[in-house]
């Protein structure tokens, strides 16, 4: 059971361990750069299908200050259907293999499929982002534990295909928090180190704009779980609902919502717009320190 404010955000682990890397969390919120090697992702679909273009983009994001680059081979936008495993592997493996040799920062793979996660870890990925929060059993966590990899557990009500039809909650913050804490406990039971686990409320995954705004408004309750919280507001539909803008024109909304999440204690911001989000995080960290 969650008690709002039971633990201050500072009680969260001060580092996030992902295999070859140990990322500090106390200094400033870290930015996770999104790299979708898919034809149909809602924002960058079709832009990085060529592995060379994808790797160039990953290097650019690292230069812009990303702390992690996340490679995804299956869109999870509302209405999306699962991609066959072989196709997802074909998309992500060449990019992860090359980036593992070249990139000075950790590489995440965005997948809920055990075989894809295992192959990505073999190819050199440092963490797995599971948008189903171990819904398919503990094997994904066991694979992450064997590799010493990080694990992000994201909340989703339903599946991408159906999740936005009629999402419903009693208290969305309490339900999401309890589900995430239970998933994190299962990950620990499967052998993942507590400092290698982050949780994510899953903005837009089986949530109305109202649910999303309530989650952001009370994000400190999730941060009080004492685990690093990742938030992915980047260019998402709730920003279109508020401002009426199309996907390609949601930068200010992304930065405003990202800043709000940081001020509530989010440790990791998952975004397409790395440079501006990094600059926002740096200024907020300087204000929190009271020194440049
Ligand atoms: N959002 C998306 C995908 N994966 N993972 C986490 N942990 N948190 C998120 O908010 C999140 C996620 C959706 O964004 P994107 O990857 O840009 O689009 P698509 O699913 O269409 O590829």
């Amino acid at each position: 059971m969650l008690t709002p404010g039971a633990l201050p955000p500072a009680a969260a682990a001060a580092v996030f361990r992902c295999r070859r890397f140990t990322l500090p969390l106390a200094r400033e919120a870290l930015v996770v750069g999104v790299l979708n090697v898919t034809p149909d992702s809602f924002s960058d679909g079709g832009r990085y299908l060529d592995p060379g273009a994808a790797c160039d983009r990953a290097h650019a994001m690292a230069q812009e200050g990303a702390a992690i680059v996340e490679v995804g081979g299956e869109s999870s936008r509302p209405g999306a259907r699962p991609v066959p495993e072989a196709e997802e592997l074909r998309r992500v493996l060449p990019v992860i293999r090359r980036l593992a040799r070249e990139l000075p920062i950790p590489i995440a793979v965005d997948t809920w499929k055990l075989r894809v996660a295992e192959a990505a870890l073999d190819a050199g990925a440092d963490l797995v982002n599971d948008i189903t929060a171990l819904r398919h059993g503990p094997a994904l966590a066991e694979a992450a534990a064997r590799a010493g990899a990080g694990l992000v557990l994201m909340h989703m009500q339903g599946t991408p295909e159906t999740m936005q039809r009629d999402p419903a909650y009693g208290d969305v913050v309490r339900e999401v928090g309890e589900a995430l804490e239970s998933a994190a406990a299962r990950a620990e039971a499967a052998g993942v180190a507590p400092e290698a686990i982050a949780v994510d409320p899953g903005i837009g995954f089986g949530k109305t704009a109202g649910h999303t705004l309530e989650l952001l408004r009370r994000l400190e309750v999730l941060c009080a779980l004492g685990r690093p919280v990742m938030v992915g507001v980047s260019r998402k539909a709730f920003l279109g609902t508020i401002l009426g803008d199309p996907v390609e024109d949601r930068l200010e909304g992304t930065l405003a919502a990202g800043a709000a999440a940081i001020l509530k204690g989010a440790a990791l911001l998952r975004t397409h717009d790395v440079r501006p989000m990094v600059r926002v995080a740096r200024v907020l960290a300087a204000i929190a320190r009271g020194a440049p």
Side-chain angles (χ1 to χ4, degrees):
M1 188 63 178
L2 279 178
T3 319
L7 288 168
V15 294
F16 182 36
R17 270 198 14 222
C18 348
R19 210 176 197 181
R20 298 175 292 160
F21 300 86
T22 300
L23 302 177
L25 299 177
R27 194 178 147 74
E28 67 187 38
L30 303 179
V31 171
V32 179
V34 179
L35 179 61
N36 285 311
V37 290
T38 63
D40 57 345
S41 286
F42 83 96
S43 153
D44 59 351
R47 292 185 60 187
Y48 306 112
L49 286 176
D50 168 51
C55 291
D56 287 351
R57 177 68 190 138
H59 281 285
M61 290 196 286
Q63 291 250 303
E64 289 171 3
I68 297 173
V69 164
E70 186 199 282
V71 181
E74 173 179 280
S75 172
S76 50
R77 72 190 186 287
R81 297 219 167 136
V83 167
E85 216 165 71
E87 173 60 14
E88 194 176 337
L89 286 167
R90 193 190 64 74
R91 293 176 186 175
V92 300
L93 283 189
V95 177
I96 292 173
R97 212 172 276 131
R98 189 174 140 194
L99 291 179
R101 289 196 306 267
E102 297 179 356
L103 218 58
I105 58 172
I107 301 152
V109 61
D110 186 358
T111 193
W112 51 271
K113 296 182 189 122
L114 176 62
R115 293 250 313 273
V116 177
E118 284 176 334
L121 291 168
D122 282 348
D126 299 286
L127 64 150
V128 179
N129 172 26
D130 175 13
I131 62 165
T132 70
L134 303 181
R135 190 182 295 177
H136 305 278
L140 194 78
E142 287 161 6
R146 274 195 303 276
L151 182 62
V152 181
L153 300 165
M154 194 201 78
H155 178 271
M156 165 166 49
Q157 188 178 83
T159 64
E161 200 172 349
T162 57
M163 65 192 181
Q164 289 308 98
R165 280 189 197 154
D166 191 18
Y169 299 84
D171 177 339
V172 66
V173 178
R174 188 176 55 75
E175 286 170 41
V176 167
E178 286 178 359
L180 289 177
E181 190 39 44
S182 137
R186 279 180 280 129
E188 282 189 31
V192 184
E195 336 66 274
I197 299 170
V199 295
D200 184 326
I203 300 300
F205 284 83
K207 280 118 193 154
T208 61
H211 294 138
T212 287
L213 293 171
E214 183 65 6
L215 281 164
L216 290 172
R217 192 172 73 86
R218 292 170 55 211
L219 194 70
E220 71 275 11
V221 177
L222 300 184
C223 296
L225 290 170
R227 302 186 184 275
V229 170
M230 181 185 287
V231 177
V233 290
S234 190
R235 304 180 186 172
K236 284 197 175 157
F238 77 100
L239 300 170
T241 306
I242 299 169
L243 295 173
D245 297 323
V247 171
E248 60 280 6
D249 195 16
R250 293 183 184 161
L251 178 61
E252 298 94 332
T254 297
L255 299 178
I262 293 172
L263 290 172
K264 296 275 183 181
L268 299 143
L269 270 289
R270 183 184 180 280
T271 191
H272 305 85
D273 300 294
V274 170
R275 184 174 188 272
M277 197 70 248
V278 167
R279 290 161 69 84
V280 166
R282 289 207 177 134
V283 172
L284 291 177
I287 293 170
R289 281 194 302 276

